[in-house]
Amino acid sequence: MGLDDKIEHNTQDAKGKLKEGAGKATGSDKLETEGKVDQTKADVEKAGEDVKDAFKS
């Protein structure tokens, strides 16, 4: 996985955590759910990159 990909995935994960936290703080279920979705997307993309890296080795 390239450095750019790692940064992008970590940024997406951090944004998701912020959205989730903001949703909890404001009582917005929608914002909280969006945050969880963003985090899940980042995790899936990280896993996909890990699989690619495993096949390169």
Side-chain angles (χ1 to χ4, degrees):
M1 177 175 359
L3 181 60
D4 291 341
D5 291 331
K6 286 182 183 181
I7 291 170
E8 181 181 336
H9 299 147
N10 287 335
T11 300
Q12 185 176 17
D13 186 50
K15 285 181 182 178
K17 288 179 182 179
L18 287 172
K19 279 185 181 180
E20 182 182 3
K24 285 181 181 179
T26 61
S28 172
D29 291 336
K30 181 182 177 194
L31 191 57
E32 186 176 346
T33 300
E34 286 177 10
K36 289 179 182 180
V37 168
D38 288 347
Q39 291 174 66
T40 302
K41 284 181 184 178
D43 290 341
V44 168
E45 290 172 1
K46 286 179 194 175
E49 291 295 329
D50 289 344
V51 168
K52 285 183 191 177
D53 290 344
F55 280 106
K56 288 181 183 177
S57 301

